Amino acid sequence: MRVKAPAGEVPGSMFQLGREVAPARLGNLGRPRGTLPFGPAIVVAALAVLVACLGCEPESAESFASFERIWGSRGITDGRFQKPRAIAIDAEDRVYVVDMTARIQVFQSDGRFLRAWSTPDHQFGKPTGLSVGIDGRILVADTHYYQILIYSPEGQLDQTIGGVQGERPGEFGFVTDAVQDSQGNYYVAEYGEYDRIQKFSPSGQFLGAWGGHGSEPGRFMRPQSLAVDEHDHIWVADACNHRIQQFDRQGRLLQMWGTQGGAAGELHYPYDLVLDSAGTVLVAEFGNHRVQRFTRDGRSLGVWGAQGRGEGQLYNPWALVQDQQGRIHVLDTNNHRVQVIRPQAANHR
């Protein structure tokens, strides 16, 4: 159900096709919540997306993975967690986890603790997003300080984007995640008054933004996490709209799928997604206490997990990553641990 936007304006975007709008022309970013412009072309695209979504039938709820192990436990000493809320993994299978103590802890993929550091300030809130940039640096969504902190893998702070609360270009609400495309451009998601994605050059210069608060296609209600695919398309876990949206680098909506619910094929607060090595999409559902696997056009291929405290059970998972061996590390947030599962071969049917 891939939907192409019509020529002209970009749905929910502050970009125009073929060029990025200069920052000086983005004055309407200062409008109140939910007021980004939508023209007739956007309405046509929105109806096309909604009609396509009506054809998405829930699939069977068979499990797509097997349990392997658990690592981590509750605590504030090295190697333990206090409500971990974001996880990332680098090319050497080192796992990075941030929790409610504002510590970024680094582990081997088997859970062995390596080192840790903390964000500079955390009195008013803790980070809620982590990712690894194209150069191996660690991108930290310093949510309540309205900025992205960029660290070396050893914990040296190298670069900062943002740091000012506001609605103008380059200012942020509550940032949730940041990713890079193959050219090194940054995409930063935020929620609150703005619910948008801003784009920056590798040096941190503002390039544009799209989105706005709302449920219409191309808008967001808490864009919680981002992923970039092999075509530099931007995937968004639109958490409070209970859906996944995919955009090109200019902010044009390519497809949207997901509807609220607990059945297979439905979503309830999707907080993170991974584009896995099998060509499928793995989604961590905070509200359904599970991981669900989809084809890239939104057909469910199975689920794993259920609410609980035991082995193979989850309690409000926030995030997940895939290692080089194909295993999935699920951040089992309110159980204060990581569960490792191994997906079966994907049947795209």
Side-chain angles (χ1 to χ4, degrees):
M1 61 178 209
R2 189 175 297 274
V3 178
K4 293 185 178 180
E9 293 188 59
V10 181
S13 176
M14 300 306 298
F15 289 100
Q16 292 180 344
L17 299 183
R19 65 185 181 90
E20 293 170 348
V21 179
R25 298 184 62 187
L26 295 177
N28 53 359
L29 274 179
R31 297 181 180 182
R33 172 189 294 187
T35 59
L36 299 186
F38 282 81
I42 283 74
V43 174
V44 173
L47 290 174
V49 173
L50 291 174
V51 169
C53 287
L54 293 177
C56 300
E57 296 292 335
E59 303 286 342
S60 62
E62 60 188 28
S63 178
F64 71 89
S66 58
F67 170 84
E68 285 208 351
R69 65 190 303 266
I70 290 173
W71 56 271
S73 60
R74 188 171 190 172
I76 60 173
T77 57
D78 289 346
R80 296 193 174 195
F81 303 120
Q82 183 66 31
K83 195 178 179 182
R85 299 195 294 181
I87 188 170
I89 193 166
D90 66 18
E92 298 181 19
D93 272 354
R94 292 175 299 210
V95 180
Y96 302 77
V97 179
V98 65
D99 68 3
M100 287 290 286
T101 68
R103 294 175 302 165
I104 299 160
Q105 298 189 76
V106 188
F107 301 86
Q108 299 282 15
S109 61
D110 60 3
R112 285 179 292 167
F113 174 82
L114 295 175
R115 58 184 173 274
W117 70 89
S118 295
T119 54
D121 299 299
H122 45 264
Q123 177 183 357
F124 300 114
K126 315 303 189 294
T128 62
L130 283 179
S131 65
V132 178
I134 60 173
D135 58 1
R137 295 190 298 171
I138 312 305
L139 315 182
V140 180
D142 196 9
T143 306
H144 300 274
Y145 289 86
Y146 321 110
Q147 62 188 351
I148 298 298
L149 304 174
I150 304 174
Y151 289 92
S152 72
E154 292 71 38
Q156 176 68 42
L157 182 60
D158 291 338
Q159 185 180 353
T160 300
I161 298 175
V164 176
Q165 182 184 18
E167 60 191 22
R168 301 178 62 185
E171 299 175 346
F172 292 116
F174 297 116
V175 294
T176 56
D177 202 11
V179 293
Q180 281 186 289
D181 64 21
S182 64
Q183 304 303 307
N185 298 307
Y186 295 97
Y187 301 82
V188 181
E190 59 183 297
Y191 78 98
E193 290 295 319
Y194 319 116
D195 288 278
R196 62 187 176 182
I197 295 170
Q198 296 193 58
K199 181 177 181 178
F200 298 86
S201 71
S203 64
Q205 178 185 2
F206 176 80
L207 297 176
W210 72 86
H213 184 85
S215 298
E216 299 91 342
R219 295 194 179 197
F220 308 108
M221 291 180 66
R222 189 165 179 156
Q224 181 61 40
S225 66
L226 306 174
V228 180
D229 66 20
E230 64 276 12
H231 304 294
D232 276 347
H233 294 158
I234 314 303
W235 294 69
V236 184
D238 189 7
C240 296
N241 279 323
H242 314 285
R243 66 190 182 190
I244 305 299
Q245 299 197 68
Q246 181 196 22
F247 301 87
D248 69 12
R249 288 183 296 177
Q250 293 177 313
R252 171 192 279 179
L253 178 64
L254 300 177
Q255 66 166 335
M256 178 188 79
W257 44 263
T259 186
Q260 184 176 8
E266 298 175 338
L267 295 169
H268 193 44
Y269 297 107
Y271 264 29
D272 197 14
L273 75 163
V274 164
L275 306 174
D276 71 7
S277 57
T280 65
V281 184
L282 303 177
V283 180
E285 296 182 63
F286 179 91
N288 279 331
H289 312 280
R290 68 185 182 186
V291 177
Q292 188 164 186
R293 188 181 214 176
F294 293 90
T295 61
R296 289 204 177 182
D297 60 1
R299 290 187 296 111
S300 178
L301 299 176
V303 301
W304 182 87
Q307 184 175 3
R309 304 290 189 183
E311 181 181 288
Q313 296 179 320
L314 300 169
Y315 206 102
N316 299 134
W318 271 64
L320 71 172
V321 294
Q322 184 175 42
D323 67 23
Q324 298 294 325
Q325 287 71 48
R327 300 170 300 187
I328 307 301
H329 299 249
V330 184
L331 198 60
D332 190 4
T333 298
N334 279 332
N335 283 324
H336 315 280
R337 64 190 183 185
V338 175
Q339 295 204 53
V340 183
I341 62 176
R342 184 173 294 276
Q344 302 162 359
N347 179 8
H348 295 268
R349 291 197 292 272

